[in-house]
């Protein structure tokens, strides 16, 4: 579903590439670890130190790659993103073996190449989830996992799209879609994934310390994490 029907901010809407090219300048200062890293830290079903080859889908500036670098010390980590300006910053982290400009739904990477795929804070920009889950299972080896962390659909439905402030001070939204959690389950099951673990993060005290204006959203779910396992050959 297009986010427009829920949008209470009504900022001008820009496409993904244009938006992140511009947001790349300030992205790291505006995205808080409470959104995604806190959920990653709580996951129990992923044996991080045993990961040897990982792919960070929609890796952006490399926040998750840097986290993986610490949690999976033996791993070679690749990254994919469609915005070259974000990838240029990811390169500077030194966390990645290789970085590719590509769509998460068509990476062009070899089949069954990765023990682990991750994707953080990008599914709301995809109009459809099926192609993402199909591509992720194609490139993950049997027994491997896909960890997806997302901006919670309930938070999007509360009216707050993914947005940033331009250098001029104008706020703009990056085109967003609402995918219910059940949409994830349907798309993932359709591609052949099994759910190992799931978690959700609420707007709590830790959030309010960083974003006092979010008092009006206190208690709402703001992000989610799912660990999908490839049990069999991809369909
Ligand atoms: C909010 S950032 C998340 C970056 C990083 N994963 C993090 O957690 O900080 C979203 C990223 O998704 C990328 N993106 C969005 N749609 C994409 C697509 N279809 N294929 C590849 N990258 C995409 C954007 O270019 C942007 O870098």
């Amino acid at each position: 579903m297009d986010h427009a029907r829920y949008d209470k901010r009504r900022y001008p809407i820009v496409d993904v590439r244009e938006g992140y090219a511009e947001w790349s300048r300030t992205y790291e200062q505006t995205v808080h670890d409470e959104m995604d890293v806190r959920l990653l830290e709580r996951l129990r079903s992923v044996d991080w130190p045993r990961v040897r080859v990982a792919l960070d889908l929609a890796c952006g500036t490399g926040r998750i790659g840097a986290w993986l670098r610490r949690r999976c010390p033996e791993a070679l980590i690749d990254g994919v993103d469609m915005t070259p300006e974000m990838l240029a910053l990811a390169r500077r982290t030194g966390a990645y073996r290789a970085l590719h400009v590509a769509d998460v739904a068509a990476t062009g990477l070899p089949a069954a190449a990765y023990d682990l795929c991750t994707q953080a804070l990008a599914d709301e920009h995809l109009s459809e989830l099926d192609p993402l889950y199909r591509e992720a299972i194609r490139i993950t080896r049997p027994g491997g996992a896909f960890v997806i962390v997302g901006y919670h659909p309930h938070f999007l439905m509360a009216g707050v799209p993914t947005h940033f402030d331009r250098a001029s001070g104008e706020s703009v939204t990056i085109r967003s879609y609402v995918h219910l959690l059940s949409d994830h389950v349907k798309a993932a099951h359709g591609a052949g994934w099994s759910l190992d673990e799931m978690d959700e993060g609420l707007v709590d005290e830790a959030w309010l310390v960083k974003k006092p204006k979010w008092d009006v959203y206190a208690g709402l779910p703001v992000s989610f994490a799912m660990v999908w396992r490839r049990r069999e050959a991809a369909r």
Side-chain angles (χ1 to χ4, degrees):
M1 282 175 285
D2 195 310
H3 180 261
R5 67 179 298 188
Y6 300 101
D7 192 356
K8 293 192 176 141
R9 300 292 179 98
R10 302 276 164 198
Y11 302 141
I13 294 173
V14 297
D15 284 335
V16 169
R17 239 174 134 138
E18 178 192 349
Y20 282 102
E22 211 173 327
W23 193 5
S24 61
R25 290 176 302 105
T26 54
Y27 179 82
E28 293 263 342
Q29 290 90 62
T30 46
V31 174
H32 299 297
D33 285 355
E34 277 71 15
M35 192 68 95
D36 48 8
V37 171
R38 183 163 64 164
L39 290 184
L40 289 172
E41 300 274 3
R42 297 206 301 231
L43 295 175
R44 292 288 164 262
S45 63
V46 182
D47 192 353
W48 306 103
R50 288 192 61 182
V51 173
R52 292 290 176 274
V53 199
L55 177 67
D56 185 17
L57 291 161
C59 63
T61 56
R63 291 174 55 251
I64 302 304
W67 184 85
L68 287 169
R69 182 75 283 135
R70 294 191 294 276
R71 294 301 299 263
C72 317
E74 306 289 320
L76 298 168
I77 305 167
D78 295 340
V80 160
D81 200 284
M82 74 188 316
T83 308
E85 290 81 353
M86 296 290 272
L87 280 177
L89 296 172
R91 197 162 287 116
R92 283 199 213 158
T93 65
Y96 297 94
R97 168 179 67 174
L99 290 163
H100 307 275
V101 180
D103 195 301
V104 294
T107 63
L109 293 167
Y114 295 97
D115 302 324
L116 171 73
C117 288
T118 57
Q119 183 181 284
L121 309 181
D123 70 279
E124 83 270 27
H125 299 309
L126 308 177
S127 58
E128 305 288 339
L129 292 177
D130 291 0
L132 165 69
Y133 281 101
R134 278 202 301 266
E135 178 66 352
I137 204 163
R138 186 187 69 77
I139 56 183
T140 303
R141 68 161 175 77
F146 176 33
V147 176
I148 182 166
V149 182
Y151 191 35
H152 204 291
H154 294 184
F155 208 75
L156 280 160
M157 291 162 106
V160 191
T162 301
H163 62 280
F164 69 98
D165 291 340
R166 290 187 145 148
S168 64
E170 180 194 29
S171 300
V172 289
T173 285
I174 300 183
R175 189 173 304 286
S176 301
Y177 300 88
V178 175
H179 302 296
L180 300 178
L181 297 179
S182 59
D183 294 331
H184 282 269
V185 173
K186 285 179 217 167
H189 281 174
W193 292 105
S194 304
L195 185 62
D196 265 8
E197 187 176 0
M198 181 173 170
D199 203 352
E200 289 164 291
L202 303 180
V203 177
D204 57 10
E205 274 310 310
W207 266 112
L208 295 179
V209 166
K210 290 193 176 164
K211 289 181 89 79
K213 279 192 202 158
W214 275 18
D215 195 38
V216 292
Y217 305 116
L220 278 185
V222 65
S223 54
F224 69 88
M226 294 167 174
V227 180
W228 297 99
R229 185 74 51 189
R230 177 176 171 183
R231 301 218 185 280
E232 301 158 15
R235 290 176 191 172

